[in-house]
Amino acid sequence: DAGVIQSPRHEVTEMGQEVTLRCKPISGHNSLFWYRQTMMRGLELLIYFNNNVPIDDSGMPEDRFSAKMPNASFSTLKIQPSEPRDSAVYFCASSQSSYNSPLHFGNGTRLTVT
Amino acid sequence: AQSVTQLGSHVSVSEGALVLLRCNYSSSVPPYLFWYVQYPNQGLQLLLKYTSAATLVKGINGFEAEFKKSETSFHLTKPSAHMSDAAEYFCAVSRATNAGKSTFGDGTTLTVKP
């Protein structure tokens, strides 16, 4: 079990640029979650997918954010255009889609927008 | 609706002392409760989970938590703190109708003094 794999681990970009974060969930898990963590707001759920279908995107801050899950083994979170306030650690997590299944988190992508 | 409140954003204990991290939940249906730990520059990892099988749940690294329905609490304890326990701890709740979507508390940072 390789765990949830996120790339890149660190991303530094300039305001206005497009940023794409990537996630490979654990094989066999059919729920995938994107979280954002900041000192000010803590851990925020942005969006989650079940069987590759977006179920709840109410946490996506604004239209600059979009997420896709084209297949069971890959998801992306895109920010276009990026802004300094998007600086945060972005986590991807996966689970078996059951209410008592824990989340398995990746090590996150630390995004810095200058 | 469901929510989690972690009392105390920072807890400091001496090495060898009792660790007590508090979590209270609110849920309109029987909850499923989790404790996660986050070490610096890593994602969250599951410590333990409560899924109604037993009210006292034992987890990894010597931690345990007791579900008390009358107090709507799920406090995390460890009899003797170790330096390696220094981390941030998150309580989370999910319910049967949410298919794996968890609500997280704000986290408690545990400091262990030598």
Side-chain angles (χ1 to χ4, degrees):
Chain A
D1 181 354
V4 175
I5 299 172
Q6 291 187 246
S7 64
R9 284 298 311 272
H10 301 273
E11 177 79 43
V12 180
T13 190
E14 293 183 348
M15 183 174 63
Q17 296 299 306
E18 177 179 297
V19 175
T20 298
L21 311 181
R22 297 172 175 80
C23 175
K24 177 179 169 55
I26 291 173
S27 178
H29 284 186
N30 47 13
S31 289
L32 183 139
F33 304 78
W34 282 101
Y35 284 88
R36 178 171 69 176
Q37 187 177 39
T38 61
M39 290 290 291
M40 292 297 293
R41 290 197 292 267
L43 199 61
E44 303 173 275
L45 176 64
L46 300 178
I47 184 171
Y48 83 98
F49 296 83
N50 192 41
N51 293 323
N52 313 337
V53 176
I55 301 300
D56 183 353
D57 66 354
S58 59
M60 296 286 261
E62 47 198 277
D63 292 346
R64 298 184 297 106
F65 286 69
S66 63
K68 294 182 179 179
M69 192 165 186
N71 57 62
S73 58
F74 184 65
S75 177
T76 59
L77 178 68
K78 185 177 294 186
I79 308 172
Q80 166 63 16
S82 58
E83 297 183 3
R85 60 191 167 125
D86 301 331
S87 297
V89 181
Y90 290 81
F91 288 103
C92 176
S94 70
S95 77
Q96 297 171 331
S97 56
S98 168
Y99 47 83
N100 62 357
S101 295
L103 302 182
H104 298 255
F105 283 78
N107 282 326
T109 295
R110 182 175 295 277
L111 174 65
T112 303
V113 184
T114 60
Chain B
Q2 58 190 29
S3 65
V4 168
T5 301
Q6 291 185 240
L7 299 175
S9 58
H10 290 85
V11 170
S12 181
V13 301
S14 297
E15 190 173 20
L18 171 71
V19 175
L20 171 61
L21 304 182
R22 300 176 187 274
C23 172
N24 287 88
Y25 69 90
S26 171
S27 176
S28 56
V29 297
Y32 298 91
L33 295 157
F34 307 83
W35 275 100
Y36 292 84
V37 61
Q38 184 181 28
Y39 299 104
N41 300 314
Q42 294 185 26
L44 282 69
Q45 305 170 34
L46 180 70
L47 268 180
L48 50 81
K49 67 177 184 180
Y50 166 75
T51 57
S52 76
T55 57
L56 183 62
V57 182
K58 294 187 184 298
I60 62 172
N61 302 340
F63 284 93
E64 62 182 35
E66 186 173 9
F67 172 72
K68 292 187 176 180
K69 184 177 179 180
S70 61
E71 299 177 8
T72 60
S73 68
F74 190 57
H75 301 332
L76 182 70
T77 60
K78 181 173 180 178
S80 176
H82 191 273
M83 297 296 290
S84 61
D85 295 327
E88 189 162 17
Y89 292 79
F90 292 88
C91 183
V93 61
S94 71
R95 54 194 172 104
T97 52
N98 266 9
K101 178 181 172 182
S102 293
T103 300
F104 284 83
D106 290 336
T108 297
T109 299
L110 176 66
T111 300
V112 182
K113 299 175 291 186

